[in-house]
Every structure is written in C-alpha cells, then in structure tokens.
Amino acid sequence: MGGVADANFTLVQLRYFVTAAELGSMTAASRELMVAQSAISAAIAQVERELGVQLLIRHHARGLSLTRAGERFLVEAREFLAHAAALAQSARGLAGSLTGELAVGCLTTLAPFYLSRLLRDFAGRYPGVRVSVAEGELSAMEAALLDGRCEVALVYAIDLALDLDIRPLTQARPYALLPLGHRLAEAEAVSLADLATEPMILLDLPRSRDYFRAIYPTEPRVRFRTSSYETARSLVAGGHGYSILNQRADSDQTYDGGRVACVPISDDVPALDVVLASVRGVRPTARAVAFAETCQAFFSGRRPGQASGG
C-alpha cells in the first residue's frame, strides 16, 4: 500500500469498491449502484493494479471477501469518500442546508432516552441529511467507530479506547430504584449501607456491570441479572430487590403495571459521563460537526441525568 500517494484512480472507482466490499457481491453492488457488473469489476481491478495489492478475493458463486489489505483499505476509502463529500458540500457554500448521509451510533442503554428527540432536533435543523443509526453495547460502538461504520456515537465514557476523542455532553448520577412500598421509598436519600443486606437487581452489561459493582464498598448481594433497563425496573417493582441505575424515566410505572421509586444516593459515588465519541485524528465531516453541535444544544438545556426514559 506504499504507492497510494501516486495511485491513479477515481472517486467513482472507490465508491464501486466500497459498495462491493460492504455487500460482499459484485452482483449486489451492480443492483445497488444500477451499474453493469462488468464496470464494477473493471473499476476494482483498476484500483488493485494502481495500489499493487489484491483487495478482494473472488469466490466462484460465493461472492467476495476482503483480504487483510482490503480490510484496511476499506476503512480508509470510506473516510476518503466522506471527506470528499464534505469538501464538495463546503465548496457549494451550503453549510446551512447540509445534505448527504451520516452514520450515528448509540449505546443501547441511552437510545430509548435521547435518540428520538436528538434525531428530531437534527432533522429540524438539517432536513437534507439522511441519518442511519447503529445501536449496541459499548464495545460494539467502539468497533463501529474504529472501522468506519459510524462517524460519531453517543456513549458512556467508561474505559473508552485511546483512539477515540470525546465531547462531554452531560452526567448521569446513579440513584437507588426501590419498590413503591419499600421502607426507604420515601426517604430523601439512601446510603449503600442501608441496602447492603438486600437483594440487588444488577443491570448486567459489559463495563456497566463493573461500574455498578465498583461503587460498592463491599460485594452486593446480586439476586437477578438482566441486560434490560426495563426488566430491571419491572423486577424491582415486583419486590424482587432494588437496583442502581443512572437514567430516569418520566413515569414511575413499569411495562407490567408496577410502580417504582427513585431515591438519591447519599454516598459520594461517581456519575457517568455521557459523551459523543469520534475517532481521534480523523477530520469530521460537516454533517458530524452539525450533529455534535445539535447534541451540545440538546443537553445544555437539560439537568444532569434528566431523561424521558441506563
């Protein structure tokens, strides 16, 4: 890949390569781009000749797979095409009416609370931008950013990869979730010692579980584990234990009709930082900058941890 600087290929050829690589098929790329399959194959072959390296392995009747060099080049090509589109956008002087596509990631436990309204605010400002969303746990969001499938992602700042830059947006302080009839449900605050002997419902997600367990002075008595925020609320409402969460729903009613109480924790426990993450050293597109500014404006009008739906 040392000859990339002198390579002679076009944006169209790069777009053909990226589409074929992502779809894993020349035939599928032909349908997607509405271009003859032979033209796509010839364009990719030209790119490979210019680079002096094989990018794709053609399997008879089984589509395409990327070589190691192809995997690296795919990430670079996506980034290059995104910057080319941003350059064209800037040259047209259309900063106030952006167009094109923006891929956004969102942590599963944040999406129900913020994603819909963030997308609504962004669409109101930039109706010409088509946003696609990838949702998942923290490691999946990191991978989506680092391999170029997402340009920005809304996540918690829990041991994030060093290759990522973050823009702080808000903080989410932990609180105790108790059944409505619990002896401490109406208390102004509870300490972790108050709950030490009671069964806990643990929101059991990678890294999040480590955060929740790290705030305890002793090992909590975990009765049930769940990866679902709403399942944790339902189990608490049913009297199976208490939970520690960070995001607060507007309603104290659970899906199954139970009721819960949110009580502040009196201990000095760390809040979780909600951030917008992107890849360090990569120049953001104008669309990503606009989305970041929309996020900043959205969260600046909210109290820390306030949500409509951890």
Side-chain angles (χ1 to χ4, degrees):
M1 304 240 314
V4 173
D6 300 322
N8 181 24
F9 48 77
T10 68
L11 291 175
V12 171
Q13 290 170 332
L14 278 183
R15 191 170 296 110
Y16 288 0
F17 162 73
V18 169
T19 304
E22 290 179 339
L23 296 178
S25 165
M26 294 286 189
T27 302
S30 175
R31 288 196 298 265
E32 175 76 14
L33 297 167
M34 293 184 289
V35 175
Q37 184 173 331
S38 58
I40 295 174
S41 181
I44 295 173
Q46 172 66 18
V47 173
E48 290 177 321
R49 281 194 299 271
E50 291 293 331
L51 295 176
V53 67
Q54 185 174 359
L55 302 174
L56 293 171
I57 300 173
R58 285 78 166 166
H59 303 284
H60 179 66
R62 290 192 296 113
L64 306 168
S65 61
L66 287 161
T67 63
R68 292 292 294 275
E71 291 174 353
R72 295 195 302 272
F73 187 70
L74 176 59
V75 174
E76 296 168 1
R78 283 178 178 143
E79 180 184 327
F80 189 85
L81 289 172
H83 290 330
L87 179 62
Q89 188 75 57
S90 177
R92 296 187 189 106
L94 299 177
S97 57
L98 296 178
T99 61
E101 298 184 359
L102 175 65
V104 173
C106 191
L107 190 65
T108 301
T109 47
L110 291 176
F113 305 106
Y114 304 121
L115 185 59
S116 176
R117 283 169 296 157
L118 276 173
L119 294 177
R120 181 191 63 200
D121 286 3
F122 185 70
R125 297 183 181 199
Y126 306 101
V129 179
R130 297 182 300 279
V131 179
S132 61
V133 176
E135 188 181 341
E137 49 86 18
L138 200 49
S139 295
M141 291 298 93
E142 285 180 325
L145 287 167
L146 294 172
D147 68 16
R149 286 179 288 119
C150 290
E151 191 171 354
V152 291
L154 186 69
V155 295
Y156 283 131
I158 307 177
D159 297 328
L160 291 176
L162 296 177
D163 296 333
L164 298 180
D165 277 332
I166 60 172
R167 177 188 288 234
L169 297 172
T170 191
Q171 287 190 320
R173 299 201 62 80
Y175 63 91
L177 189 74
L178 303 171
L180 204 59
H182 191 277
R183 59 186 175 85
L184 297 172
E186 297 184 10
E188 290 187 3
V190 298
S191 69
L192 295 176
D194 292 332
L195 302 170
T197 61
E198 303 200 17
M200 180 190 185
I201 312 300
L202 177 65
L203 186 59
D204 194 14
L205 291 166
R207 300 193 214 178
S208 291
R209 73 172 71 99
D210 298 330
Y211 162 78
F212 287 124
R213 298 181 76 159
I215 67 177
Y216 280 85
T218 59
E219 187 73 12
R221 297 180 55 203
V222 177
R223 182 175 184 182
F224 292 115
R225 302 168 184 267
T226 177
S227 61
S228 165
Y229 171 89
E230 190 55 39
T231 299
R233 295 180 80 239
S234 178
L235 288 170
V236 169
H240 300 285
Y242 74 97
S243 190
I244 303 293
L245 299 174
N246 291 77
Q247 299 296 332
R248 299 191 184 195
D250 278 347
S251 172
D252 63 3
Q253 185 166 328
T254 61
Y255 286 175
D256 58 1
R259 303 290 286 272
V260 291
C262 302
V263 183
I265 295 174
S266 58
D267 304 71
D268 184 17
V269 291
L272 280 178
D273 292 320
V274 179
V275 302
L276 193 68
S278 58
V279 179
R280 178 167 298 162
V282 174
R283 180 182 176 185
T285 64
R287 294 179 293 277
V289 171
F291 188 80
E293 292 172 349
T294 300
C295 288
Q296 199 80 60
F298 176 84
F299 283 101
S300 65
R302 310 183 65 79
R303 301 191 306 274
Q306 179 187 12
S308 293

